[in-house]
Amino acid sequence: MKNYKLRTGIVGIAILFFSCSERIHDYHAGFVVDEQGKPIDSALVYEDLNPDYIIKTYTDSTGYFKQKRQQLMDLIVFKEGYLRDTIKMVSHQAGETIEYSPLVKTDSAKIVLKADTSVQKATIVLGFYSICCGTPNGEQIMRYVRMFIQHHNLQNVKITLVSGLGKEGEHDIVVEIPAITKMQKVVLLENLQKLAKMAPKNNSDGGINISEIDDIKGRYTNRDRLTFKEIDLKSN
């Protein structure tokens, strides 16, 4: 009888101990949002492991991610236009674990990424190409470029029309921006890509390629055959 009571007591203590201990999931989960609380989609999430063992996960349209946990290593979160964030999974003090990250205890924790406001130079090319019968209409996309520049008060922007790239009116529009934040550039490029797909075809099978280049001079090797004309930002 005494042995039975002893065993019962030990089991009771064990149950009490485990019920009070934290439950740690075998995965990381949560939401990635910006400083206004809006979800950030396609943010990259991975554990700070040896590159050979990294499993990469991306957030969905609601900012949510769920990734099987390999170890309790730091979690790295990154999205172009935002500052990279490193979240500690475990906090130690005097060699003892004192706290686990909410990302391994709940599915609703939030990671707030701050916008990268560092300024850089950007040169963006809108390449109008033709497969048959001329190039698409670029009026809508150019209106957006002018509106974006004005809205963000971007200074000393130079826009150049490069003609003579083909027999069917193929041309480039080069937008040189001396100072733009990474976040502004991300937004500009994303919206230009969307507008390029929506541009009226004008009975053309061509399209508009959006790209960023480092060196405008290196792009055009046959400059003698081309025409370079600066576009007035105030013109329609």
Side-chain angles (χ1 to χ4, degrees):
M1 180 65 71
K2 289 183 179 180
N3 289 338
Y4 172 77
K5 290 182 178 179
L6 178 62
R7 289 196 298 270
T8 304
I10 293 173
V11 171
I13 293 172
I15 291 173
L16 179 63
F17 173 79
F18 285 111
S19 64
C20 293
S21 63
E22 293 183 278
R23 291 189 175 184
I24 307 301
H25 295 157
D26 63 352
Y27 57 85
H28 305 103
F31 293 86
V32 180
V33 299
D34 64 15
E35 294 173 279
Q36 285 72 48
K38 297 180 180 179
I40 300 176
D41 68 330
S42 303
L44 173 62
V45 182
Y46 62 93
E47 289 179 277
D48 190 13
L49 298 169
N50 183 303
D52 295 335
Y53 300 99
I54 287 177
I55 297 176
K56 296 181 179 180
T57 303
Y58 292 88
T59 57
D60 63 18
S61 60
T62 67
Y64 181 75
F65 72 92
K66 184 175 182 179
Q67 181 189 79
K68 184 173 178 59
R69 176 171 57 80
Q70 298 183 80
Q71 298 182 33
L72 280 170
M73 302 293 289
D74 293 347
L75 203 67
I76 311 297
V77 184
F78 175 72
K79 175 69 183 285
E80 186 68 36
Y82 296 87
L83 296 175
R84 185 186 305 267
D85 199 4
T86 301
I87 297 94
K88 284 189 173 296
M89 291 296 100
V90 184
S91 297
H92 297 287
Q93 183 174 313
E96 297 290 334
T97 298
I98 61 172
E99 181 64 35
Y100 289 98
S101 167
L103 296 171
V104 292
K105 295 190 294 184
T106 174
D107 289 5
S108 59
K110 290 186 178 180
I111 300 172
V112 180
L113 291 187
K114 296 181 178 180
D116 188 342
T117 57
S118 60
V119 174
Q120 59 183 223
K121 178 182 177 181
T123 302
I124 298 171
V125 177
L126 288 62
F128 291 73
Y129 67 91
S130 171
I131 297 176
C132 172
C133 313
T135 61
N137 186 304
E139 291 181 5
Q140 182 180 8
I141 200 168
M142 285 307 299
R143 280 198 299 269
Y144 172 75
V145 169
R146 292 187 177 92
M147 180 196 72
F148 187 91
I149 292 169
Q150 182 179 10
H151 176 74
H152 293 281
N153 195 28
L154 301 179
Q155 300 297 314
N156 301 316
V157 177
K158 180 181 179 182
I159 300 181
T160 305
L161 170 65
V162 183
S163 305
L165 296 174
K167 296 180 179 180
E168 295 187 349
E170 292 89 345
H171 62 279
D172 284 350
I173 294 178
V174 182
V175 183
E176 298 176 82
I177 309 174
I180 185 172
T181 68
K182 287 186 178 181
M183 175 54 66
Q184 289 171 345
K185 186 177 70 171
V186 168
V187 172
L188 175 60
L189 287 170
E190 288 181 350
N191 287 335
L192 287 177
Q193 294 283 2
K194 293 176 183 178
L195 289 171
K197 294 178 181 179
M198 298 166 53
K201 292 291 187 177
N202 292 344
N203 298 321
S204 166
D205 291 329
I208 307 173
N209 285 325
I210 309 298
S211 60
E212 184 181 5
I213 62 174
D214 295 325
D215 180 20
I216 185 174
K217 292 182 179 179
R219 179 178 175 87
Y220 306 107
T221 56
N222 58 338
R223 297 178 70 88
D224 293 341
R225 301 180 181 179
L226 304 177
T227 301
F228 296 82
K229 179 183 178 182
E230 187 169 347
I231 298 176
D232 184 359
L233 284 171
K234 297 180 181 180
S235 63
N236 296 322

